[in-house]
Amino acid sequence: MQGCPGSRMQSFEKRDSGTTEDITGKRPSELRQWPIQMHLVSPQAPYFEKSDVLLAADCVPFALADFHRDHLKGNTLAIACPKLDSGQEIYIEKIRALVDEARINTLTAMIMQVPCCSGLLAIAKQGLERAERKIPLKVVVVSLQGEVLSEQWA
Amino acid sequence: MQNFMNMSVKEVIEKNPRIGEILEEYHIGCVPCTVATCLLRDVVTIHNLPGKDEAMLMYRMEKELYPERNVQLREVAEGKEKEEFKFSPPMQELVDEHVHIKQLVAYISEVLELVAQDEDIDRDLLFNVIRFIREYADRYHHAKEEDILFEYTDRSLEIINVIMEDHVTARGHIQAVVDAIDTGNREEIISHLTAYQALLTEHITKEDEILFPWIDRGLTTSQVGEIYRKFSEADAELGSDLPRRNLEFLRTLNEKFASQ
């Protein structure tokens, strides 16, 4: 099948998770803020101050079954789509402001494995380059079937 | 096996030198270590061997220690193989500083040749070497390890004690060199700088290849951010002039000895 890997149709076989853990229990949301969309978030919001920020591509939380427990917990969040969102220059400036003004502790970019998603990492890097402060940047790449393919410091 | 795992690696090797040889085969270099008081259990964990290698190492050591037992090789699930490791930014900063310290340490051989050959000891050269060691290697670099990084570890661990002891021993050698320069005692200068060179070479290898990857694997993302910030604050407190003048001296050493 040809075409863009980011929008190509695929269906996944239902997989046995191999565990019954938590199937019957309700899990609490780990989200501690609102809004979360990158155009709507304000770097001046108090919850961002000195926090560890997760910059997740829109598709990531749908792909990762345990996104809340394993990745969102303890972090603040901003989401964006590098393929479809307009005005991405604003995103770069907001990341700069998060680093310099909210003095965030770390930035973790969580992206899908599809090539267009690496645009979000590029946005994160540009924002960090523009900032006067330096902070660590981590990159987590998620497969379409919800596995963490890599988790590395940039 | 558990008894031996909780003994210091030195004791185990003394009881059975074959254990030292087996560890060497897995590039676990405890035999030449000057202290070697780490527990065997920690030594195995810290080296983060691929699952199958670790199982085989444990099997061979247990066979060696308890030849009468019917020792079984532990099964390892597929997939627990050694992953490519990339340091976190603050840990990479320490490793990058090691590159400069290793350059200076390597030049000690050339410096000592001059000390041995020249009619008059080049005190300025020696004091600049001492200044680099005290300012860059110790105040700028080791202070970040001791005051910041090790706070994120269990300080009672033997491996941390070994590293701290190395720092103290290194400082002792450098003080002895300063005293020997004052009295013009060439033999003492050569003896203590040679000892410092050997100590730091082994010390940096231990940190780069074993200690730092092990600490790094245990840090949370948030802790990495905290350590990075604290390193930046520590560097800012000392000022940019300290690394600048010492790295400049390193460049002059490079020019001096490269042209010879």
Side-chain angles (χ1 to χ4, degrees):
Chain A
M1 200 181 286
Q2 300 298 312
C4 167
S7 48
R8 183 191 305 156
M9 276 190 288
Q10 299 180 52
S11 59
F12 308 130
E13 297 271 322
K14 188 181 177 191
R15 288 176 298 171
D16 183 359
S17 65
T19 174
T20 54
E21 186 193 358
D22 280 350
I23 279 179
T24 53
K26 283 186 180 176
R27 291 188 215 168
S29 168
E30 297 294 346
L31 187 63
R32 295 286 177 268
Q33 64 175 87
W34 192 263
I36 58 172
Q37 209 289 326
M38 196 58 170
H39 275 304
L40 302 177
V41 298
S42 165
Q44 284 74 41
Y47 42 76
F48 278 124
E49 198 172 324
K50 296 180 179 169
S51 69
D52 294 290
V53 176
L54 201 57
L55 175 63
D58 287 352
C59 303
V60 164
F62 294 102
L64 273 178
D66 287 316
F67 175 78
H68 278 247
R69 188 187 66 183
D70 295 342
H71 300 279
L72 181 57
K73 191 175 183 179
N75 296 322
T76 51
L77 178 68
I79 63 167
C81 175
K83 187 178 174 98
L84 302 176
D85 292 357
S86 56
Q88 294 185 13
E89 177 61 26
I90 296 166
Y91 293 173
I92 296 170
E93 174 50 28
K94 284 196 177 184
I95 290 168
R96 185 212 60 77
L98 282 168
V99 176
D100 281 344
E101 293 160 29
R103 304 186 71 76
I104 62 173
N105 189 43
T106 57
L107 180 65
T108 299
M110 290 192 77
I111 61 173
M112 299 300 296
Q113 68 179 136
V114 292
C116 51
C117 217
S118 61
L120 191 62
L121 176 58
I123 289 169
K125 283 182 173 172
Q126 286 177 65
L128 260 53
E129 277 166 18
R130 229 177 254 187
E132 280 182 26
R133 282 180 73 236
K134 299 294 166 219
I135 60 160
L137 169 66
K138 189 179 245 189
V139 187
V140 181
V141 181
V142 178
S143 78
L144 303 188
Q145 299 198 53
E147 288 161 346
V148 173
L149 296 176
S150 67
E151 184 168 350
Q152 291 233 314
W153 293 101
Chain B
M1 187 65 179
Q2 283 307 314
N3 281 349
F4 278 88
M5 292 302 282
N6 289 323
M7 284 170 69
S8 84
V9 68
K10 189 176 184 179
E11 274 179 274
V12 178
I13 292 171
E14 275 171 6
K15 280 184 194 295
N16 189 332
R18 267 291 294 151
I19 296 297
E21 292 169 23
I22 294 171
L23 289 169
E24 290 277 350
E25 287 179 41
Y26 290 83
H27 307 291
I28 300 178
C30 293
V31 177
C33 177
T34 46
V35 189
T37 51
C38 299
L39 302 182
L40 183 58
R41 170 180 45 128
D42 294 334
V43 164
V44 173
T45 311
I46 282 168
H47 281 76
N48 193 37
L49 295 170
K52 284 179 182 166
D53 288 359
E54 185 179 307
M56 181 55 81
L57 170 65
M58 297 296 287
Y59 169 77
R60 290 181 61 193
M61 287 198 297
E62 195 169 354
K63 283 279 279 184
E64 194 61 48
L65 293 166
Y66 304 103
E68 73 286 358
R69 282 189 192 169
N70 178 24
V71 181
Q72 302 291 318
L73 178 62
R74 177 164 51 89
E75 281 189 26
V76 177
E78 289 297 322
K80 200 225 166 194
E81 294 306 320
K82 200 170 187 176
E83 291 174 4
E84 192 187 337
F85 184 77
K86 191 172 180 190
F87 282 115
S88 67
M91 216 60 87
Q92 186 61 52
E93 198 175 306
L94 293 178
V95 172
D96 291 344
E97 287 166 10
H98 277 166
V99 173
H100 298 307
I101 297 167
K102 282 192 287 188
Q103 285 170 347
L104 185 283
V105 166
Y107 282 131
I108 286 176
S109 303
E110 278 86 351
V111 170
L112 291 182
E113 268 183 45
L114 295 180
V115 171
Q117 290 165 6
D118 289 356
E119 194 173 322
D120 294 319
I121 294 174
D122 186 343
R123 292 167 61 94
D124 284 346
L125 175 63
L126 282 173
F127 278 125
N128 278 326
V129 169
I130 299 297
R131 188 184 69 176
F132 183 99
I133 291 168
R134 283 184 161 170
E135 285 191 352
Y136 190 85
D138 216 24
R139 274 177 68 200
Y140 184 73
H141 175 79
H142 287 157
K144 280 188 278 201
E145 294 175 358
E146 292 181 3
D147 300 342
I148 301 170
L149 180 66
F150 293 168
E151 287 299 312
Y152 291 81
T153 67
D154 178 355
R155 278 189 179 265
S156 65
L157 278 175
E158 265 315 303
I159 186 145
I160 302 297
N161 289 333
V162 167
I163 293 294
M164 295 288 277
E165 205 168 302
D166 281 353
H167 290 175
V168 172
T169 308
R171 284 171 195 137
H173 283 307
I174 295 310
Q175 184 55 51
V177 174
V178 171
D179 295 343
I181 296 170
D182 282 346
T183 56
N185 187 333
R186 285 175 202 257
E187 280 181 13
E188 284 288 296
I189 294 170
I190 292 169
S191 147
H192 284 287
L193 267 182
T194 304
Y196 177 86
Q197 185 182 37
L199 176 68
L200 257 283
T201 304
E202 188 200 299
H203 176 83
I204 290 174
T205 303
K206 269 189 287 205
E207 289 189 331
D208 282 356
E209 295 180 9
I210 301 162
L211 182 66
F212 288 175
W214 174 68
I215 293 176
D216 221 0
R217 283 193 297 271
L219 294 173
T220 64
T221 300
S222 192
Q223 286 175 325
V224 166
E226 278 176 27
I227 294 169
Y228 190 76
R229 175 178 53 76
K230 289 176 183 174
F231 279 8
S232 301
E233 288 167 358
D235 288 351
E237 201 171 306
L238 285 176
S240 59
D241 194 44
L242 185 151
R244 188 198 53 73
R245 65 171 172 258
N246 284 294
L247 295 179
E248 181 56 35
F249 169 63
L250 199 55
R251 276 188 286 276
T252 64
L253 275 188
N254 188 30
E255 284 164 19
K256 181 182 177 74
F257 294 120
S259 61
Q260 282 182 359

